[in-house]
Amino acid sequence: MTSVTRRQLLVGATALIFATAAAGCSTPSTTGGDSAGGSEITFLTFETPNLTPAYWDAAIKRVTDKYPDVKVRKLVSPTADGRTDYAKQLLQSGQFPDVMVGLSPAGFAESGNLYAWSEGELQDFTFPTANPIRGKYYQLPANTQTIPPIYYNTKVFADRGITAPPKDWAGLLEVCEKLKAAGVTPFVTGGGKDAFASSMLLTGIVSVDVYGKTPDWLSKRRAGTVKFSDPDFTAALAKFADLAQRGYIQKSDVSRDYAATEQAFLDGKGAMYPMGNWFAASADAKQRNDIGVFNFPSADGRTVVPAYTGGGMVVSAKAKNLDAAKRFALAFQLDKAQLDSSVKADGLIPAVKGYTPPADAGPVFKAGYELYQQAVADKAVVHGFRWESADDGLLPGMAAKVDAVAQDLTTGRKTPAAAAAYLDAEWAKAGS
């Protein structure tokens, strides 16, 4: 999964876009037909410290071994969280990929550029009706991600006399103050070209405080019955800004990209790390035994777990080889080896009927998985703010505005009231 200041690529000559794509693409070793046989498809991926070129190549090969008539040309987004913007550039230049993974379908679907999956094609997924766009389903609901739990260094906590993770917001502030007094930075956050890392704490606060009371808040925002400048949302912005004002978040962190942010936490440059559950894969791959995880705390200690189900593949409605694209996408998302690999490589929780994680899944993943399963049982799961898509998600382009607001609140460039007004103004532009 994973998500980067939404880096804007210049919409210039087609040749420039193609050169960028070619520079970021590789063709995995596959068997199968050639383009003359009508079976070649293009597949847009992205890379992170977890999702390496080898990960994607192995996954592609498993599918093409099953369907040897399908030949795949892999494209790679220049930035991990900029893949939606990059897909827009490719669409505008007439090079829209046949299959894409992990991008927001909003905008693409409404304009008729994505294939709408049938009920029968979605029957193997746990939540087949996730993320509807005008009553149709364009993105395979392949996995669930909790966004964000809070990971913490158990040794740092123990060395400062903190015997257990906090249960509520007041407890979290007490932990932060104790850590700061001991010369330890409470939270590791990020930004730079991966701006989503700067808004993780804001995602947690809005999800727990706002969505915890009004689960369909963003649907109401789309309907125009609530605004970002309303008291509940502005209070969430103020709560986030307060963390920065207290020094629990470092202003300089907003210039650090995702990979460096993760490494900073692993190197002990802060005690807590609010991040999507994909981080568990990194922790387990490094065999860390000093990392714990707890749910994002609410004001009253009530369990509210932000999560997002979706993130799977979308297929171009205008793919030259549509049948091959559809077969590739479904086979990729339902392959047991691929699902197990996604657990280990990216900490994903597959939303496929009958699936159980591999027995050798790591301890950090298992701890987060158990927290999520308990939240499901308790009916305590809400959408993760900023990460939603489709009819109950942010308007196209607004995720980048949320990231910008998080950075401005961290550095003090905006007050909570100014940030709320900015979001309302940008929302109006996005909807016009």
Side-chain angles (χ1 to χ4, degrees), residues 117-276:
W117 297 97
S118 69
E119 181 179 349
E121 289 168 327
L122 297 175
Q123 64 182 349
D124 293 320
F125 296 95
T126 308
F127 305 106
T129 58
N131 306 313
I133 297 180
R134 298 179 181 176
K136 295 182 179 181
Y137 305 95
Y138 296 91
Q139 186 170 44
L140 293 177
N143 56 70
T144 297
Q145 297 167 308
T146 51
I147 312 173
I150 296 180
Y151 296 92
Y152 69 103
N153 188 308
T154 57
K155 185 177 186 303
V156 170
F157 268 40
D159 288 349
R160 275 71 185 180
I162 304 168
T163 59
K167 300 296 185 183
D168 55 26
W169 190 256
L172 179 66
L173 294 181
E174 290 176 8
V175 165
C176 288
E177 191 56 37
K178 185 173 288 189
L179 290 167
K180 182 184 175 186
V184 177
T185 300
F187 288 109
V188 172
T189 59
K193 67 182 179 65
D194 303 310
F196 73 95
S198 62
S199 61
M200 277 292 177
L201 279 167
L202 182 59
T203 286
I205 293 170
V206 172
S207 302
V208 171
D209 288 5
V210 180
Y211 292 2
K213 296 177 182 177
T214 311
D216 60 345
W217 191 91
L218 203 49
S219 294
K220 292 179 182 295
R221 184 66 189 87
R222 279 180 168 251
T225 59
V226 298
K227 291 186 176 182
F228 294 107
S229 54
D230 288 349
D232 281 356
F233 198 95
T234 302
L237 294 172
K239 198 170 182 178
F240 174 78
D242 180 60
L243 295 176
Q245 291 166 3
R246 291 172 182 249
Y248 301 157
I249 308 170
Q250 296 297 312
K251 295 180 179 180
S252 58
D253 282 6
V254 300
S255 64
R256 184 167 54 199
D257 68 16
Y258 171 59
T261 300
E262 179 179 290
Q263 193 59 50
F265 174 68
L266 292 171
D267 289 344
K269 294 181 180 178
M272 293 180 285
Y273 184 40
M275 185 50 62

